[in-house]
Every structure is written in C-alpha cells, then in structure tokens.
Amino acid sequence: MNGVIFVIFGASGDLAIRKLIPAIFELHQGKYLPENFAVLGISRSKYSDDEFRKKVFYDSEFIEMDKKAKKEHKDFADKLSYIPIQTSETKDYAKVKKALAKLDKQFEIGGNYIFYLSTPPFLYTTIPACLAAHDLNEEKDGWRRLVVEKPFGYDLETAEALNKDLQTHFDENQIYRIDHYLGKETVQNLLVTRFANGIFEPLWNRNYIEHVQITNAENLTVGNRGGYYDKSGALRDMFQNHLMQIVAHVAMEPPISAEANAIRNEKLKLLQSIRPIKESDVPKQVIRGQYTPATIDGKKVKGYRQEEGVPDDSKTATFIAVKFFIDNWRWAGVPFYVRSGKALPTKVTEVVITFKDPPHALFRKEDMVYNDNNQLIIRIQPNEGLLLKFGMKVPGAGFEVKDVGMDFQYSDLTNVHVPAAYERLLLDVIKGDATLYARGDSVEESWRFVEPILNAWENNPKIKVYGYPAGTWGPAVASKLIESDDVTWRNPCSELTTGDNFSELS
Ligand code: BG6
C-alpha cells in the first residue's frame, strides 16, 4: 500500500476528537494503515504540534491506551502534526502546501492526500476552492481525495449547488461523501443477506411481503446540540441520509457486480422509484412529533422546547414516521414505514420484513398465540443479528400455534475486532473504494423525495407537531399509519427477541 497523509480540516473539533483520530489510531494499532502515513490537523485554533498531540491523542477520553505501549504511542503521536490557518483565506493554503511537502518528504508518502472536511458546512465550498487555487486537487504525483461529512445541503437546491461546487474542483471519483451508516457492518450485511443466499430473494417482493418497517430509535435527547438540531430535525438529520440509505439496501435490485458503481447505480434507481409524497398528502403519510418533559427512572427529563438553543415555539420534529410506496415491479403496493426519533425508550435500529398471511387459514384464529405473519427482523444495532419469527404447534391436543424465533447473533460469527464505521470508511477511502460512500446523484434523489415534506411543513403551519413524553415510542398517532388489522410497529428492546416489549411505555 502506498503512503497517505490524512489532512483533517476542523481538527480541533468534536468529530475529529471523538471519531477520526480514534479511528486512525485503531487502524494503526491493527496494522491496517500503510507504514508511511501522517496526519496533518488544520483549524483556526493556535496549537503547537505537541499541544495538538496532547489534545486529540494523549488526553483523549475516546482512545484506550495500553499503559505499557509507550513507545508505540510515541510513534503514533510523532505522525500527528498541526498548523493553524484562517480556513477561508486562500493565501493561507500556501502554508498547507508547504506543510504537506515537508511531511511528504519526511514520511516518504508519494503524494497521496486525503482532505477530510470535518468543518461547519459553510466551508464545504470554500476549502475545495482554496485547495484548488494551490493545485492541491491535482493528481500529478499521487492521488487526492476529498471526504465530506453530512449535511450534504439543506434541501434539494443547496444539495445541487454543493455538488456543483465540489465537482468544480474535484472529479466525482475523487469525492467521498460519508454516511457513517454505510460503514456499519450490518448495513453492508443487508446486501449479503439478500444476495448471497438463495432462500430470501425469491420471497423478497410484493407477492410475499406485506409491508416493511424500519425503526431507528435513540434514547438520548438532543442535549446540548439544540442549536444545530433545531435547524435540522429528524427528517434532515437521520431520514434524508442514513434511513434512505437503509431503504435503498433493503429494496434495491441485485447489482450486476459488487463493484462500487454497480451497487450505487442500483441504489439510485431505487431512490428514483420511490413515489413522491404530494404536499397535500403529507398530513396523512408523515407524522411528526416532539418530545415533552417526563420523569424516567425517577429522573426529570427536559422536553425538546426546554433544551438549550431551542426556541419555545419550535416546530422541529424530534420524531418522524413516514409511509411511502416504491413504484416498481418488485414493490408495487407494498407499504414502507420508516420512523426515527430521539428520546425514545431505547437505542435500536431494526428492519422488519413482514410476510403475508398464508393464503388459506387452516387453524382457528383464537388458537393462535401469534399474529399469523412471519417476520424477518434484521437488527442493525445493537446486538446485531437476524431473527426469523414463525408459528409452531404447542405440544398437546388441538392446534394451538405459538410464535417462535430462529435467530443468528452477529457476535457468534467471529471474535475478531469488528471495525467501527469510521475505521472501515477511512480504510476504504485510502483504497479508493467508494462503494460505501454516497454518490452525488443519490444524495440529490433522496432530497427530491424529502423536499415536499419540508415544503408542506413550511407552507402549512396547521400540520400538527404531536407531543410525546420523553422515553415513549413517539406519538400514539404514528401507529395509525400502519393500517393492517393485526400488525403494528414492532417496538423492540435492546436485545434481539421475538417479544414486543415496552408496551407499557407507549
Ligand atoms: C448522526 C446524527 O448522523 O447520527 C445524530 O447527526 C445521531 O443526531 C447519530 O445521533 C446516530 O448515529 P448512531 O451511529 O449512533 O446510530
């Protein structure tokens, strides 16, 4: 593997400290990185190299250090360096160029640089332009890759403008848009579950599937991120990116190969087939909610409007549930229900495929301790795994049928270190593998779907924001989205089990 320099803009910020430096350290420890690598931190704050090393590495609460490995730590720390610049000043990038040339020589890198924009989004167009002004985008003596963090725009128009700006200075194949959900092993495993097995795919369509649910729950509240979150909300923060990507993995057609563009082409096609929700249908198909104060385990939890940085009359959704259809041969008529929220009872992300009833009911309904519908539950996090729910006869007279489960826990597969999403994604960008990165066109496509919902909320203030007490499964009205007689949302607990728990909280 050739050498590489990670150039992190916004290097003294939260993301760099919590995720990026720890991920680079883990990759280094696991010997996944090339021997000749270096990290150049850049931001406005004035640190010396040593102060930077202390802040992001030695004093980091996000890095576990083996006290005996002092020499290895020093070797790693020596590869970290830092320069302060005014990030929006083109002339300051001469310093960046000089620092890169020095590091390149010192560590024999060979001209391969990753520019990681871990900055506020307003700098996403400035930094690439400034890099280009100093030819740092040109791949003359090595490769140059640009990694951009979400948000990729604020709506369709700004997303298109951002893509255009990025593509002015870098080719699309140099741009890596991070959606950390794509780095999660279990999201990738959705493709393996579907396309490496002969038993699921024949059933994976409108003939056998009644509906699909995706739940993404977080038990944390917005906390001190109120200022950011209030401008974003669940639709922009989670749905437009992470959840649409999961939908694409669940519903896309088989790609012709596992190559990046083959997969990304199918995902794009899928996103293009989602039926747009008309503004006038938004109240029927989209439920928005906001958590209200509650007492959980004896502790008082603030409501969203009481959080720091959130206006008293905010309408920002901390919960959304969306019902939509995919207009293609595979999915015609199959409803998809997707919900996401903060301050819910637990942290869990799950895909539930609910299969249709058997065509003829042989056993009496009242003998069923079971809801008839087989379900395949794909647990994205935590306690990752897969669970198939089906009915079995209870021993004894008659035909009492009970719900049972057959499960696979991801942890049984291996005891090797499962890389965190950022580790996997950083490694892929070094290899030049963009499979797990979002392509510009699909980012725009998912904004295209989300936009009428945003417009409806903007244009029609009468659309309700339903309150839900923190620690519950969101507004009760969300269950009305699922009209099926005997199936509703599966409210999972953190363990992967057949039971629908927490009903007492909803
Ligand atoms: C981020 C959102 O993209 O994803 C956060 O901005 C959210 O609001 C986080 O908490 C959830 O990620 P994970 O990996 O913990 O599910």
Side-chain angles (χ1 to χ4, degrees), residues 429-464:
V429 72
I430 300 178
K431 290 189 190 144
D433 180 352
T435 315
L436 302 180
Y437 284 82
R439 206 169 59 186
D441 48 9
S442 61
V443 170
E444 287 175 18
E445 206 50 53
S446 58
W447 275 118
R448 203 159 282 131
F449 176 67
V450 159
E451 187 127 289
I453 308 176
L454 293 169
N455 290 344
W457 289 348
E458 175 91 28
N459 299 336
N460 184 355
K462 286 208 187 108
I463 297 179
K464 284 203 172 122

Side-chain angles (χ1 to χ4, degrees), residues 79-253:
K79 290 178 183 284
L80 306 179
S81 57
Y82 181 85
I83 52 168
I85 67 165
Q86 287 303 330
T87 330
S88 43
E89 285 289 341
T90 312
K91 67 173 173 17
D92 276 18
Y93 286 69
K95 288 188 212 158
V96 177
K97 194 168 183 176
K98 199 165 147 213
L100 282 171
K102 187 171 154 227
L103 288 174
D104 203 315
K105 201 156 162 223
Q106 180 184 353
F107 292 102
E108 298 174 17
I109 300 292
N112 303 324
Y113 309 151
I114 296 172
F115 299 110
Y116 199 113
L117 309 192
S118 164
T119 62
F122 72 89
L123 288 169
Y124 288 0
T125 47
T126 313
I127 296 174
C130 293
L131 288 169
H134 291 265
D135 300 337
L136 284 166
N137 56 341
E138 283 183 17
E139 300 191 306
K140 275 188 255 158
D141 47 356
W143 47 254
R144 306 289 151 89
R145 295 178 187 147
L146 183 74
V147 184
V148 193
E149 273 285 337
K150 82 174 222 300
F152 311 122
Y154 189 71
D155 51 21
L156 179 58
E157 196 186 337
T158 48
E160 283 171 342
L162 175 65
N163 278 338
K164 219 166 137 218
D165 280 345
L166 294 174
Q167 288 161 357
T168 310
H169 304 293
F170 285 82
D171 281 343
E172 179 62 28
N173 64 15
Q174 290 178 281
I175 305 171
Y176 290 72
R177 295 174 192 77
I178 282 226
D179 182 313
H180 79 278
Y181 265 58
L182 292 178
K184 290 186 194 274
E185 277 292 328
T186 39
V187 174
Q188 296 159 42
N189 195 43
L190 277 166
L191 298 186
V192 175
T193 305
R194 290 189 54 198
F195 303 131
N197 295 299
I199 58 170
F200 296 119
E201 211 41 32
L203 305 181
W204 214 262
N205 57 55
R206 64 189 303 270
N207 297 329
Y208 299 97
I209 293 180
E210 198 212 58
H211 74 259
V212 175
Q213 287 180 24
I214 300 176
T215 290
N216 165 266
E218 287 184 84
N219 50 352
L220 290 183
T221 59
V222 166
N224 57 12
R225 294 172 75 215
Y228 151 77
Y229 194 86
D230 201 59
K231 292 188 197 66
S232 157
L235 197 64
R236 289 189 170 96
D237 186 51
M238 293 298 300
F239 185 88
Q240 182 274 333
N241 35 72
H242 307 322
L243 292 171
M244 293 291 275
Q245 288 291 343
I246 296 181
V247 170
H249 280 226
V250 171
M252 70 193 241
E253 292 301 314

